[in-house]
């Protein structure tokens, strides 16, 4: 899901209100855009025009100047500023703006005659002071800068430097002027200011800001580090360092810098020092950096402090976003619904509210928020995307595909995490329809999302071309089930002559080694085997193999079984189930809580108690719990004394790796589990798999099917209604009762007693 409302669409909506004379509503939206993105020069200009039209001239001037810091080459902006300044009776400054506007105006611009006439009526400006007075020249340059006469300001700065080449303030102003037109010479001008006045914090800060704005964050960070070494710690510098590190993708370093900035800001405020930074903004940046680090709980604490200190719509929205990142949608609902109540006209809040409702499995409420968002802004890419996620939750991948395609049409062509969500959603919709060839490339966009970087930093990515002799390392940083589902691709790649090894979680290594799918296994810390002469290792995440291999679903069933338990694990667990009744059923009821959908997919143990107490199964079925991790606490909380039952065996404490689990599953007749790693292990082993699925189950299980093309031994038991496991459990009990009856018949025909193993 996505919750970042596109400001381009919001601005277009506000312009419509503005033209319709609905000034109050348009103003609110322009301000909303600027609160979220102060660099939106178009919104600042439009707000300035609106303020001028409603008589608030000084505020209009401020906002138009803000627009000019980003769009100095727009003639219309300079012309508008001139009109405002003339109304303020500052004719000399108005003339400077009009001169700039006329110089930039394209031939045939309609307002040129009027502006030229106004300019001709303005008296001439006084002459500059005598040449050689650097201080006076710089003072006049500043005056010209205030009137937006950039050409005159630059000429005066250069004249001041001709008089005194060590004048740091003149170098600094020359940098400011160059940066306004994105001239990379600004960096060198600021560097000269630093050389001549190394103790001036502003000069260091401006040089770093120039590098950052010019897309050179690594150099910006180096400048800030040098400043910290020369001047000492300053809150403003540390906040800038955080911005630079975050832009580099180093969220850990960014979070550390933001924390230090807040610490020093508190000290500076206590000493009465004006730091020039906004603690509210730094807290917001810190929360985002912590989320990117995977420290969502820490981000929540920061966002809560921010919302308590400066409560408001944006603080509540940001708190909800980090709570969603912490997989706590129930807690996210309170602040985002509060924000919606305070600003019902804001479509971005409705989008975030829809995201929270989807994650909380309140799908109908999510749909209502999405409908409201689209009423406010029909062009919202995020609202259309959330429509797609709602359709997926409702098991309607065709509608979901249409929604995600509309969202992509509405979204600018970027490569950020936001558009990655849209592509991933489209991929899931196509994959859920069984279209692997078209869906997998879209789903592969997940690599652009936070926390989805390459497993091995120094190994280049695989281009997907199968070449005999090529060296491929399959990597995994998360998702045990994903590895077990897609590691099957290693075998045909090796058959094509490629060298294939695996680097990932140690809990999988014994199983993969025993399955002989890859040449070598190890953790991400283990060195790779030496490449053969003329070759180098390339890498692909296990999930990326789905797209890179370019295969459809037809071949998957023929690969099973492709996993095998290690011989030592088989020997270690041999005979452990001998005391149980003849039909042995392995059971797992909860998966990892590190995924946002864990609450929806996991029935937990309590809803399964009717299965464990079904009279038809008593004495015939032996239950084998292979549940590990968080789900094991259910054994202590359900109202059923499982520990003393002779037909129930809890194996969870002894399962140290998936090799152990595989050895247990090899001895059972049926595996009943939810969509988790145990399901993929059972399927890959070729064991009978009975899979419990919620209404919004993942794309890999397709829709409305009771079988799986991935695992021919699987039978799927699906919820009829969101959150209702009773029908699934009843169907499982009936199926297992029939299975037990058939096994008795099979045993009798084979000449064995019904109770024999």
């Amino acid at each position: 899901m996505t919750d970042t409302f596109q400001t381009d669409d919001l601005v277009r909506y506000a312009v419509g209100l503005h033209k319709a004379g609905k000034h109050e509503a348009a103003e609110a939206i322009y301000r909303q855009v600027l609160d979220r993105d102060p660099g939106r020069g178009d919104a600042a200009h439009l707000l300035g025009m609106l303020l001028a039209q409603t008589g608030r001239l000084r505020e209009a001037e401020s906002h138009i100047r803000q627009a000019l810091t980003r769009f100095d080459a727009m003639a219309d902006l300079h012309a508008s500023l001139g009109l405002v300044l003339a109304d303020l009776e500052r004719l000399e400054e108005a003339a400077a703006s009009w001169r700039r506007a006329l110089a930039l105006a394209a031939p045939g611009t309609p307002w040129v005659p009027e502006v030229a006439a106004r300019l001709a009526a303005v008296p001439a400006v006084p002459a500059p002071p005598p040449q050689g007075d650097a201080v006076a020249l710089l003072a006049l340059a500043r005056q010209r800068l205030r009137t937006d006469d950039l050409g005159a300001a630059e000429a005066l700065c250069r004249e001041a430097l001709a008089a005194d080449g060590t004048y740091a303030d003149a170098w600094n102003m020359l940098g400011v002027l160059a940066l306004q037109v994105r001239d990379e010479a600004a960096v060198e001008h600021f560097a000269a200011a630093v050389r001549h006045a190394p103790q001036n914090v502003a000069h260091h800060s401006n040089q770093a800001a120039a590098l950052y704005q010019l897309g050179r964050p690594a150099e910006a960070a180096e400048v800030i580090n040098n400043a910290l070494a020369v001047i000492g710690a300053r809150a403003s510098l540390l906040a800038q360092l955080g911005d630079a590190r975050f832009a580099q993708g180093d969220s850990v370093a960014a979070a550390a810098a933001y924390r230090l900035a807040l610490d020093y800001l508190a000290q500076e405020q206590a000493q009465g020092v004006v730091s020039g930074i906004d603690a509210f903004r730094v807290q917001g940046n810190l929360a985002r950096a912590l989320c990117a680090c995977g420290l969502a709980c820490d981000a929540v604490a920061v966002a809560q402090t921010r919302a308590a200190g400066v409560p408001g719509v944006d603080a509540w929205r940001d708190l909800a976003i980090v709570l969603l990142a912490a997989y706590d949608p129930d807690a996210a609902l309170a602040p985002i619904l509060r924000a919606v109540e305070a600003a019902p006209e804001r479509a971005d809040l409705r989008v975030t509210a829809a995201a929270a409702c989807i994650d909380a499995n309140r799908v109908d409420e999510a749909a209502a928020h999405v409908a409201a968002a689209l009423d406010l802004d029909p062009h919202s890419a995020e609202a259309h995307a959330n429509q797609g996620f709602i359709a997926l939750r409702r098991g309607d991948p065709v509608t979901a595909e249409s929604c995600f395609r509309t969202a992509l049409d509405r979204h600018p062509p970027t490569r950020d995490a936001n558009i990655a969500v849209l592509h991933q959603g489209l991929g899931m919709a196509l994959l859920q329809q069984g279209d692997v060839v078209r869906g997998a490339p879209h789903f592969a966009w997940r690599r652009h999302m936070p926390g989805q970087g390459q497993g091995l930093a120094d190994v280049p990515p695989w281009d997907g071309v199968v070449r005999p002799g090529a060296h491929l390392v399959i990597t995994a940083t998360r998702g045990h089930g994903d590895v077990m589902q897609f590691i099957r691709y290693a075998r045909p790649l090796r058959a094509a002559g490629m060298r294939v090894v695996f680097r990932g979680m140690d809990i999988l290594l014994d199983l993969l080694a025993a399955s002989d799918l890859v040449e070598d296994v190890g953790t991400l810390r283990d060195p790779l085997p030496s490449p053969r002469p003329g070759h180098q290792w390339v890498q692909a995440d296990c999930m990326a193999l789905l797209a890179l291999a370019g295969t459809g679903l037809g071949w998957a069933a023929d690969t099973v079984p492709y996993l095998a338990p290690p011989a030592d694990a088989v020997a270690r667990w041999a005979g452990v189930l001998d005391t149980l009744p003849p039909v042995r059923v392995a059971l797992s009821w909860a998966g990892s809580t590190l995924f946002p959908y864990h609450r929806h997919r996991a029935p937990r143990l309590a809803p399964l108690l009717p299965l464990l107490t079904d009279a038809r199964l008593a004495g015939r079925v032996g239950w084998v719990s292979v549940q590990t991790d968080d789900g094991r606490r259910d054994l202590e909380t359900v109202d059923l004394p499982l520990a003393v039952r002779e037909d129930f065996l809890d194996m969870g404490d002894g399962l140290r790796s998936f090799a152990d689990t595989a050895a247990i599953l090899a001895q059972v007749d049926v595996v009943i589990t939810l969509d988790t790693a145990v399901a993929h292990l059972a399927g890959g082993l070729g064991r009978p798999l009975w899979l419990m699925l919620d209404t919004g189950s993942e794309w890999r299980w397709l829709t409305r099917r009771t079988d799986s093309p991935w695992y021919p031994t699987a039978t799927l038991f699906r919820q009829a209604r969101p959150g209702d496991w009773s029908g699934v459990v009843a169907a499982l009990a009936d199926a297992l009762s029939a299975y037990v009856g058939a096994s008795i018949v099979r045993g009798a025909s084979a000449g064995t007693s019904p109770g024999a193993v």
Side-chain angles (χ1 to χ4, degrees), residues 47-417:
L47 178 57
M49 293 173 62
L50 186 150
L51 292 168
Q53 290 171 9
T54 55
R56 289 170 284 175
L57 296 174
R58 294 193 181 279
E59 199 173 353
E61 176 193 0
S62 172
H63 283 285
I64 295 175
R65 288 191 187 281
Q66 181 182 349
L68 284 165
T69 63
R70 187 171 183 182
F71 302 109
D72 182 65
M74 288 178 60
D76 290 356
L77 286 169
H78 291 281
S80 296
L81 179 60
L83 294 173
V84 171
L85 292 170
D87 287 343
L88 288 168
E89 299 183 357
R90 290 156 56 186
L91 294 181
E92 181 181 335
E93 296 174 58
S97 294
W98 287 331
R99 278 193 293 271
R100 178 73 169 156
L102 292 171
L104 293 170
T109 301
W111 47 256
V112 165
E114 179 187 355
V115 168
R118 283 176 173 266
L119 179 61
V122 177
V125 298
Q131 186 172 356
D133 187 346
V135 174
L137 286 165
L138 185 60
L140 185 56
R142 288 183 175 130
Q143 180 184 343
R144 292 292 180 263
L145 179 60
R146 285 193 296 272
T147 65
D148 286 328
D149 191 350
L150 302 188
E154 179 181 350
L156 289 163
C157 279
R158 293 191 182 279
E159 192 175 340
L161 287 168
D164 181 0
T166 67
Y167 194 5
D169 286 348
W171 282 113
N172 185 70
M173 174 168 271
L174 199 58
V176 169
L177 293 167
L179 190 58
Q180 289 202 24
V181 293
R182 297 189 67 79
D183 184 348
E184 296 206 2
V187 175
E188 294 306 318
H189 297 330
F190 289 130
V194 168
R195 284 195 302 274
H196 296 302
Q199 295 299 318
N200 190 310
V201 174
H203 297 165
H204 293 275
S205 180
N206 286 343
Q207 185 185 6
L211 289 163
Y212 183 87
Q213 291 181 39
L214 293 168
R216 296 155 62 181
E219 296 172 70
E222 184 178 352
V223 166
I224 294 298
N225 280 326
N226 290 337
L228 291 168
V230 171
I231 301 173
R234 297 288 191 278
S236 58
L237 293 175
L238 289 163
Q240 273 190 291
L241 180 61
D243 294 342
R245 292 303 188 204
F246 200 63
Q248 287 179 269
D250 190 347
S251 52
V252 174
Y258 289 136
R259 282 198 187 278
L260 284 172
L262 291 170
D263 290 343
Y264 277 93
L265 179 60
Q267 296 177 25
E268 291 168 9
Q269 288 174 337
Q271 297 166 3
V273 176
V274 178
S275 299
I277 63 170
D278 180 1
F280 184 76
R281 186 190 73 83
V282 178
Q283 284 177 323
N285 288 345
L286 173 57
R288 283 186 285 276
L290 289 168
C291 277
C293 293
L295 301 173
C297 292
D298 291 343
V300 168
V302 172
Q304 286 173 332
T305 300
R306 179 187 180 206
V310 189
V313 168
D314 291 330
W316 297 329
R317 177 204 60 199
D318 291 348
L319 174 57
I321 290 171
V322 296
L323 285 165
L324 289 174
Y327 308 140
D328 194 352
D330 291 330
L333 283 169
I336 191 57
L337 293 180
R338 186 178 182 186
V340 167
E341 183 179 3
E345 77 285 354
R346 283 183 52 171
D348 65 318
L349 303 179
R350 296 284 190 171
V351 169
T352 303
C357 288
I358 293 170
D359 280 1
N361 210 24
R362 293 161 62 166
V363 179
D364 291 341
E365 293 175 60
H369 284 296
V370 168
L374 289 172
D375 283 343
L376 291 165
D377 179 25
H379 299 287
S380 168
E382 286 71 19
H384 286 289
N386 277 344
Q387 268 192 329
F389 285 111
I390 290 168
L392 287 177
R393 292 289 302 157
R394 289 172 168 169
D396 184 0
V398 175
T399 297
E401 177 189 352
S402 174
C403 292
F404 287 120
R405 291 194 185 280
T406 300
L408 285 166
D409 287 342
R410 300 285 194 273
H411 197 284
T414 61
R415 295 187 69 84
D416 57 13

Side-chain angles (χ1 to χ4, degrees), residues 435-526:
D435 191 345
V436 174
V437 174
R438 287 197 307 148
H442 288 286
F443 187 72
W445 274 71
R446 69 195 292 270
R447 68 184 181 275
H448 298 296
M449 296 173 63
Q452 300 290 337
Q454 293 192 135
L456 298 171
D458 300 324
V459 179
W462 182 37
D463 61 7
V465 178
V466 178
R467 301 181 182 89
H471 291 36
L472 174 66
V473 51
I474 298 172
T475 60
T477 58
R478 56 183 288 183
H480 301 119
D482 294 336
V483 174
M484 286 187 277
Q485 180 173 5
F486 298 113
I487 196 67
R488 71 179 86 199
Y489 284 95
R491 187 161 284 160
L493 294 176
R494 292 183 73 187
M498 294 180 64
R499 289 186 73 188
V500 184
V501 302
F502 174 80
R503 291 293 181 268
M505 301 80 97
D506 57 3
I507 197 173
L508 290 164
L509 300 185
D510 291 346
L511 173 70
L512 298 184
S515 302
D516 195 29
L517 291 163
V518 293
E519 175 185 316
D520 178 72
V521 300
T523 68
L524 292 167
R525 299 181 300 276
D526 294 330

Side-chain angles (χ1 to χ4, degrees), residues 549-612:
T551 57
L553 282 177
W555 73 283
D558 294 335
T559 64
V560 177
Y562 56 88
L563 298 177
D568 60 340
V570 172
R572 185 163 59 251
W573 294 101
V576 70
L577 309 184
D578 287 353
T579 61
L580 292 174
V583 177
R584 283 77 183 260
V585 177
L587 194 62
S588 174
W589 53 82
S592 171
T593 59
L594 298 178
F595 297 96
Y597 49 81
H598 74 90
R599 299 185 319 147
H600 316 321
R601 67 171 178 170
R604 306 299 296 209
L605 180 55
L608 303 185
L609 296 186
L611 181 64
L612 295 173

